[in-house]
Amino acid sequence: MVATSLIQRLLWVCQYPGFSKSLLGPYENVGVIQGRIPSSAACQVFYPAAADSTSNKSLPYFRPRAVQGLAEYSGMDPNLFQFLSWKRHPCQVHAPPAVGEFPVVLFSHGLGGCLEMYTDICQQVASSGMIVVALEHEDGSGCFAETADGQEIRYKSPSSKEPYSRNKVVNFRKDFLEHRAREVTRTMEFFLGGWKDEKNLDMSSNGVYETTTDVWKQVLEKVDTKKGVALFGHSFGGASMVYTMQREGQDQTKVLDGVNSVTMLDPWAFALDKKLIEKGSQSSVPYLSVLSEGWVTNPETEQVLELHVDNPDNLYYMPHSRHASFSDSPWWLPRVITRRFGLRGKKEARHETIAASAKACINHMKASIKCYQKGGSITEMDTSGLAPLLPFPYSTTELKLPRAQQLSSQKM
């Protein structure tokens, strides 16, 4: 107990976790609010803030109860993670938004995630002139969530009795995907105009945040619905966005017509059935996937390649990175620890994966917005300055691993 207390205090003194020092976009200030979307889920919203804005609130980066959920999910001592709730949020809490109108991006977290887990990449995308809504799914796939009536939801594990297989994953995760898709669709409805109903502006929040209706309304009035909505997700969150677009038997066509793009970081397409993947590969909505080195070298890459069979040019990978590199977790602890636990690549420079992948995602979203407004298709995405991000398939010489074509032919 004493040792744990000393470690967490040392981490706090050394200013862990560490966030990106500079933002990619023209908006140097990014604001943040938290609340609950009516009939959907809690969320954290990142938006371009006024240039002269300063935060008048000092709120924690991680909610204390989310820390407890994270510890339970990871099997670690919750006291070890307390410093996450001591850290001040890196964005301008409740800051007035910048002048202008901004398109909306909905972000879906991966397994074991929560609304704080991707703060770094969300603020990078928001700095480019977008409103990023990081949802906290209540399907039981995250480390923590809380319902509107205050009920806590923790991670639900699959049965260990049945051997791991694709069939087991697809069957077990289907209900999770359906729950997430409903939350995404309802959130889209809200941002596409549902918020204008005054009764929906009572954005009661949970945790330590106390977001007022006035702040929410200021941000919502900056939403540019003419540019559509971008779907964005990591791992199971990427699969969730594909599922949302391709599921059948749902009266949601009008809402999904407002989607301008789907952008994914290490999508866990393994959790999707074959029919959904085939439909996704033929989607008229432009897809982009950015993969970590750790993700392209596992046998479950096959489904990602199938998802991009009709648009292979929109597939990139990041050398030396790991699956967790797109989240905040590699920067919570010193390098020697995160590398030891596989959260960060041995040759991965600080924040380079976040910066490179965020730039590719921003470029894809902007190109998608242009084609959405013109009613055409993406003919060219700005690929300048994406290094060290590389097009897929990757160099066998560099990685000393099988080529993508060989990986995709492996037996499950």
Side-chain angles (χ1 to χ4, degrees):
M1 179 66 77
V2 174
T4 299
S5 178
L6 288 174
I7 290 171
Q8 63 176 332
R9 291 185 181 280
L10 180 61
L11 291 170
W12 180 68
V13 169
C14 294
Q15 299 187 350
Y16 284 96
F19 301 101
S20 298
K21 297 295 184 182
S22 60
L23 299 178
L24 295 171
Y27 295 92
E28 297 181 356
N29 285 345
V30 171
V32 66
I33 54 176
Q34 188 187 44
R36 177 173 296 280
I37 305 299
S39 301
S40 183
C43 65
Q44 187 161 219
V45 181
F46 303 81
Y47 56 91
D52 58 350
S53 65
T54 56
S55 178
N56 60 356
K57 287 184 176 290
S58 178
L59 295 175
Y61 157 56
F62 237 85
R63 294 159 296 167
R65 284 185 293 175
V67 169
Q68 294 290 324
L70 174 65
E72 183 178 307
Y73 171 76
S74 60
M76 303 288 284
D77 182 348
N79 292 314
L80 186 61
F81 290 111
Q82 288 303 317
F83 71 99
L84 297 177
S85 61
W86 298 348
K87 180 77 172 183
R88 179 174 177 170
H89 201 289
C91 299
Q92 301 286 340
V93 180
H94 299 183
V99 175
E101 294 183 326
F102 310 104
V104 174
V105 179
L106 303 187
F107 184 84
S108 177
H109 63 73
L111 297 181
C114 57
L115 61 82
E116 293 99 339
M117 190 74 76
Y118 299 87
T119 292
D120 216 351
I121 197 163
C122 286
Q123 70 169 342
Q124 289 288 8
V125 175
S127 75
S128 71
M130 301 185 191
I131 295 174
V132 183
V133 184
L135 292 168
E136 183 164 79
H137 295 293
E138 297 174 10
D139 59 332
S141 65
C143 65
F144 174 83
E146 185 177 14
T147 64
D149 59 5
Q151 178 184 354
E152 290 190 10
I153 301 172
R154 300 295 174 86
Y155 182 77
K156 299 175 184 176
S157 300
S159 170
S160 59
K161 295 180 181 179
E162 184 183 349
Y164 183 82
S165 67
R166 175 128 187 258
N167 186 58
K168 175 184 178 180
V169 170
V170 170
N171 290 336
F172 179 71
R173 293 297 175 189
K174 184 177 181 180
D175 289 344
F176 293 77
L177 289 165
E178 182 61 31
H179 188 114
R180 282 168 166 245
R182 288 196 301 269
E183 290 174 335
V184 172
T185 303
R186 289 167 182 167
T187 303
M188 280 190 63
E189 291 173 341
F190 177 79
F191 279 91
L192 288 171
W195 66 270
K196 294 178 182 178
D197 185 343
E198 288 296 327
K199 67 181 181 181
N200 285 336
L201 279 176
D202 181 15
M203 309 298 288
S204 58
S205 60
N206 49 25
V208 296
Y209 288 78
E210 296 177 356
T211 307
T212 65
T213 298
D214 288 343
V215 177
W216 263 100
K217 192 170 183 180
Q218 288 176 32
V219 174
L220 290 168
E221 287 175 343
K222 299 297 183 179
V223 170
D224 184 355
T225 57
K226 299 185 297 296
K227 295 180 179 178
V229 175
L231 303 185
F232 186 25
H234 174 237
S235 192
F236 192 50
S240 300
M241 293 314 196
V242 175
Y243 184 90
T244 300
M245 291 297 300
Q246 306 306 333
R247 67 182 180 149
E248 295 181 341
Q250 304 295 330
D251 184 18
Q252 57 175 13
T253 304
K254 185 175 180 181
V255 174
L256 294 181
D257 284 345
V259 175
N260 57 41
S261 63
V262 176
T263 308
M264 297 168 284
L265 307 169
D266 275 358
W268 192 32
F270 188 77
L272 300 173
D273 66 37
K274 187 174 181 62
K275 183 185 294 186
L276 283 166
I277 292 175
E278 288 175 349
K279 288 179 64 178
S281 70
Q282 301 165 14
S283 175
S284 59
V285 175
Y287 283 16
L288 171 76
S289 288
V290 178
L291 311 180
S292 66
E293 180 179 306
W295 205 241
V296 302
T297 59
N298 75 72
E300 297 180 4
T301 308
E302 177 181 352
Q303 286 70 41
V304 179
L305 301 180
E306 290 175 356
L307 191 59
H308 280 273
V309 68
D310 289 338
N311 59 342
D313 292 339
N314 283 0
L315 189 58
Y316 289 81
Y317 95 98
M318 184 67 186
H320 314 307
S321 60
R322 294 293 175 264
H323 187 57
S325 297
F326 300 111
S327 71
D328 294 355
S329 57
W331 323 114
W332 288 346
L333 302 167
R335 179 187 310 175
V336 64
I337 298 175
T338 53
R339 287 178 175 174
R340 175 70 177 81
F341 285 95
L343 297 175
R344 180 179 177 182
K346 291 183 179 180
K347 296 182 180 180
E348 184 180 4
R350 188 176 179 85
H351 297 301
E352 70 170 353
T353 299
I354 292 289
S357 57
K359 185 166 186 179
C361 294
I362 291 166
N363 290 355
H364 175 68
M365 291 172 188
K366 287 185 174 180
S368 300
I369 287 170
K370 288 181 181 178
C371 81
Y372 177 81
Q373 291 177 303
K374 295 178 180 179
S377 58
I378 290 183
T379 56
E380 184 177 354
M381 184 182 96
D382 181 8
T383 58
S384 61
L386 293 186
L389 208 64
L390 297 174
F392 201 83
Y394 48 83
S395 165
T396 54
T397 302
E398 181 181 357
L399 293 185
K400 298 180 181 179
L401 292 165
R403 288 186 61 81
Q405 291 87 342
Q406 294 172 331
L407 258 176
S408 65
S409 65
Q410 289 181 359
K411 298 292 184 182
M412 296 298 297

